Amino acid sequence: MSNLDLSRISVLVVEDSQFIRSLIVNSLRVLGVGTIKSVGDGGEAIEFLKLVVENPMKAGMMSVDLIISDWEMSPVNGMMLLRWVRRHKESPDRFVPFVMITGYSEPARVQEAREMGVNEFMSKPFSINALADKIFSVIMKPRQFVHTASYFGPDRRRQNVPFEGEDRRKLTYESEEVEVING
């Protein structure tokens, strides 16, 4: 991580707990992130993302390079925000890397976030090293995006290695076409 220059990166932090929000922001500063904006819930994040497009000078950044969001927030939670970013027609960048942070890390939640198109998933409590690893992963090892009738997001397979044997994965729909998109 030390070889990665984050000074040109802009990050949007979405967290309702002021304590955790300041912990994330300060961790990002220690890692050398150039521009950081923090908001208290997904609704504020959506409004900020729209502002970045409409008036970057007022927003204080030209684009958002990474979103780090808590899951549990009110009134608009992290999953609603992720759904808006990946699927809404007004989303300024459907390909923006998205790291979901939560205190609830049951396998069903991880699966739900993956199915919605999250790039990385991180459990609370977390260390600055864990945060750095997630940032490194989305920046230095980006995955291709996949678009099907039921999914839009990063390819859920982490490695691009030849597969030997029978592919056991099944498509949901017999006629579903899969399109791979490079973000």
Side-chain angles (χ1 to χ4, degrees), residues 122-177:
M122 194 164 65
S123 298
K124 293 177 188 174
F126 59 89
S127 67
I128 191 169
N129 288 335
L131 182 60
D133 288 345
K134 299 300 181 183
I135 293 170
F136 178 81
S137 176
V138 298
I139 293 173
M140 298 304 292
K141 300 176 186 176
R143 291 180 273 156
Q144 292 181 334
F145 271 60
V146 175
H147 188 207
T148 69
S150 60
Y151 175 76
F152 177 80
D155 190 342
R156 291 174 268 204
R157 293 171 290 179
R158 295 217 174 250
Q159 298 179 354
N160 195 12
V161 294
F163 178 76
E164 293 182 22
E166 181 183 347
D167 190 351
R168 297 178 308 212
R169 295 171 293 166
K170 303 290 183 212
L171 292 175
T172 307
Y173 304 101
E174 291 291 323
S175 64
E176 182 175 34
E177 292 183 24

Side-chain angles (χ1 to χ4, degrees), residues 39-79:
V39 296
D41 71 74
E44 290 179 44
I46 290 169
E47 292 308 312
F48 180 76
L49 290 167
K50 290 178 182 179
L51 179 63
V52 169
V53 172
E54 294 165 8
N55 192 342
M57 294 300 286
K58 186 174 181 183
M61 61 177 67
M62 298 303 291
S63 65
V64 173
D65 299 315
L66 171 66
I67 298 172
I68 299 174
S69 177
D70 184 28
W71 184 314
E72 290 296 326
M73 298 175 289
S74 183
V76 179
N77 68 29
M79 284 298 288

